[in-house]
Amino acid sequence: MDFGFTEEQLQIKKAVREFALREIAPYVAAYDQEERFPVEIVRKAAAQGYMGGVVPVEYGGAGLDYVTYTLIIEEISRVCQIVGCALSFPSGLAGSAILRYGTEEQKQKYLKPLAQGEAFASVALTEPGSGTDVAAMRTTCRRDGNVYVLNGAKAWISFLDVCDWVLTFATLDRSLGHKGICAFIVERGTPGMTFRPYAHKLGFKPLCTGEVVFEDCRVPVENRIGEEGEGFRVAMCAVENGRLGVAARAVGMAQACLDEVLAYARERVVFGQPIGKFQLVQSKITDMVVGIESARYLTYRLAWLKDQGVQDVRREASIAKMVATDVALMAATHAVQIFGAYGCSAEYPVSRYYRDAKVFQIVEGVNELHRVLIAEYTLGYR
Ligand SMILES: Cc1cc2nc3c(=O)[nH]c(=O)nc-3n(C[C@H](O)[C@H](O)[C@H](O)COP(=O)(O)OP(=O)(O)OC[C@H]3O[C@@H](n4cnc5c(N)ncnc54)[C@H](O)[C@@H]3O)c2cc1C
């Protein structure tokens, strides 16, 4: 068992840390408050090769191993997990399904610009009436010659302000359950597809999130990803690969909470001593350190298993996602408490971490779902 990193991985981690401190840290509080996606920062990161991730070089990616990719997403997210989210998209939620199920033409047309930071994508799976229960979706597709006609609505879809295309899902026949689902890429500007962004939300504020409505939206047959009826698998491929990115983002953000707390606990004096001297504060710091280390190694292990070519890592993905996001919320909660009233102000980033950490427990599978899945895999029910 080798817990070390290669020299190259350590150099990349250091370079990413320096990039994040220089190019993201001075601006993150402002764009979070403005609820503005920092497209210029993401493009700079892409120019450094941080967006290409595990996508093969022939499709515009960096061709990295999963451990190095995880280190990049973690270090970026230690400063801003929203930039981490954007950088994880080509390897995770948006790109992985195209890499696995897309045709050569689809990979060149859609995956390549995404991996190079020249295009952005949305993944529209959740609906107003169904989130966790994906197969209960109501958006329909009907074949009409060389096109499919989509009708329905998706909810809580991110990147609506910048996306060039939307990976979405619709059913041919609801009675077929998950076997009736098809996946499509719908290009921005396609008649019949409209976006309705929400005004404000608890966390993830720089992401423009809202509804995607399809009204007799005609999508060319060549934009179907995978075969007819294979859309559920495409969706599961997307979310399962997305979970590594979410875990890495959550670990990075939990570490940021600890970084803030260590500095503050040493300098804030109460009852004549730094608060770091109080054992109840130390207890919180210990919870954070142990939680972060556990989450980090579960996340790296998931990445390492993928690097070994292990095909079925669904159980490990659920474990990493659930633990890392639960730890992120615990770390952010402790951080706000240790900062006292200052933890509630925008002057320090811990209030942002607290808001974002709650959302982490909901996206890419609510943690209750992962709790059930982990038991079912272990019991052999799946
Ligand atoms: C900021 C933000 C960004 C998002 N971006 C996207 C995006 O880009 N694309 C996209 O498709 N979606 C996106 N989502 C949606 C997100 O993926 C869904 O909210 C999530 O999957 C949960 O679905 P739901 O909200 O419909 O909750 P529901 O499925 O209605 O679940 C509600 C609650 O019921 C309980 N529950 C549900 N299932 C189970 C179970 N099996 N066992 C036990 N308890 C259960 C849990 O407490 C759960 O929180 C985003 C959400 C947010 C908040």
Side-chain angles (χ1 to χ4, degrees):
M1 208 178 288
D2 182 0
F3 285 98
F5 296 110
T6 64
E7 197 52 44
E8 195 189 354
Q9 285 169 335
L10 291 173
Q11 277 174 10
I12 291 175
K13 181 176 155 78
K14 184 167 173 282
V16 175
R17 175 74 177 151
E18 287 167 2
F19 173 89
L21 289 175
R22 189 180 64 244
E23 303 289 348
I24 308 176
Y27 312 105
V28 56
Y31 65 67
D32 189 76
Q33 275 191 358
E34 292 160 10
E35 306 196 4
R36 182 183 70 78
F37 180 67
V39 67
E40 67 291 350
I41 293 177
V42 176
R43 291 232 156 90
K44 269 188 193 169
Q48 298 292 315
Y50 300 154
M51 199 155 183
V54 300
V55 177
V57 176
E58 63 264 38
Y59 302 124
L64 295 172
D65 56 273
Y66 279 96
V67 170
T68 308
Y69 158 70
T70 302
L71 286 174
I72 292 173
I73 301 303
E74 180 190 344
E75 281 303 330
I76 292 284
S77 302
R78 195 169 159 191
V79 176
C80 174
Q81 65 86 15
I82 292 296
V83 176
C85 175
L87 299 184
S88 74
F89 249 46
S91 304
L93 197 63
S96 62
I98 297 172
L99 185 63
R100 170 113 181 247
Y101 291 96
T103 62
E104 183 61 28
E105 198 189 358
Q106 289 167 339
K107 290 176 196 173
Q108 293 294 342
K109 189 172 177 190
Y110 297 112
L111 182 56
K112 197 168 186 179
L114 182 72
Q116 293 178 327
E118 290 166 3
F120 290 99
S122 291
V123 176
L125 185 60
T126 306
E127 298 196 352
S130 62
T132 310
D133 186 4
V134 171
M137 72 175 57
R138 289 179 173 273
T139 299
T140 57
C141 57
R142 170 176 59 81
R143 180 115 184 213
D144 181 11
N146 286 333
V147 299
Y148 286 90
V149 184
L150 270 59
N151 278 289
K154 301 290 174 178
W156 290 98
I157 309 308
S158 300
F159 292 106
L160 292 185
D161 50 349
V162 290
C163 72
D164 294 277
W165 48 267
V166 179
L167 172 63
T168 197
F169 303 86
T171 178
L172 282 166
D173 179 351
R174 288 196 71 210
S175 69
L176 296 175
H178 64 82
K179 290 185 180 149
I181 296 172
C182 302
F184 302 98
I185 285 185
V186 188
E187 293 185 9
R188 191 185 193 97
T190 303
M193 177 170 75
T194 47
F195 299 155
R196 295 181 188 155
Y198 305 137
H200 301 292
K201 55 190 183 304
L202 173 70
F204 287 37
K205 285 177 177 283
L207 286 188
C208 176
T209 303
E211 274 188 21
V212 176
V213 179
F214 300 105
E215 287 165 310
D216 289 330
C217 180
R218 298 172 76 80
V219 182
V221 170
E222 62 262 27
N223 279 25
R224 193 188 66 221
I225 303 290
E227 299 300 321
E228 271 195 359
E230 213 173 18
F232 186 78
R233 286 188 187 185
V234 176
M236 290 305 109
C237 172
V239 294
E240 278 157 23
N241 280 289
R243 282 168 192 160
L244 174 59
V246 173
R249 285 158 58 200
V251 170
M253 205 183 74
Q255 179 64 47
C257 292
L258 182 61
D259 296 341
E260 290 294 324
V261 159
L262 293 181
Y264 193 77
R266 287 187 183 112
E267 78 184 26
R268 175 71 172 174
V269 174
V270 173
F271 293 107
Q273 63 176 3
I275 58 171
K277 298 276 184 187
F278 291 111
Q279 287 187 346
L280 289 178
V281 172
Q282 291 173 359
S283 171
K284 290 186 175 64
I285 290 173
T286 298
D287 286 347
M288 293 168 78
V289 170
V290 173
I292 292 165
E293 290 293 299
S294 314
R296 178 174 284 133
Y297 284 107
L298 288 168
T299 304
Y300 291 167
R301 179 160 181 271
L302 170 61
W304 179 83
L305 286 171
K306 288 168 87 70
D307 280 332
Q308 304 309 303
V310 177
Q311 291 299 316
D312 185 359
V313 290
R314 287 176 297 175
R315 177 176 169 274
E316 287 72 20
S318 281
I319 293 172
K321 191 276 172 179
M322 186 187 81
V323 172
T325 56
D326 282 350
V327 163
L329 184 57
M330 177 269 287
T333 306
H334 282 348
V336 171
Q337 191 70 21
I338 289 170
F339 271 71
Y342 295 99
C344 305
S345 87
E347 194 184 334
Y348 294 95
V350 293
S351 59
R352 168 166 53 91
Y353 300 150
Y354 185 67
R355 289 185 280 99
D356 282 2
K358 185 62 226 172
V359 179
F360 267 143
Q361 291 188 314
I362 294 167
V363 294
E364 313 239 0
V366 292
N367 281 4
E368 287 89 340
L369 173 71
H370 293 296
R371 191 163 282 280
V372 171
L373 289 176
I374 292 163
E376 290 191 352
Y377 292 131
T378 308
L379 285 160
Y381 295 166
R382 281 179 181 262

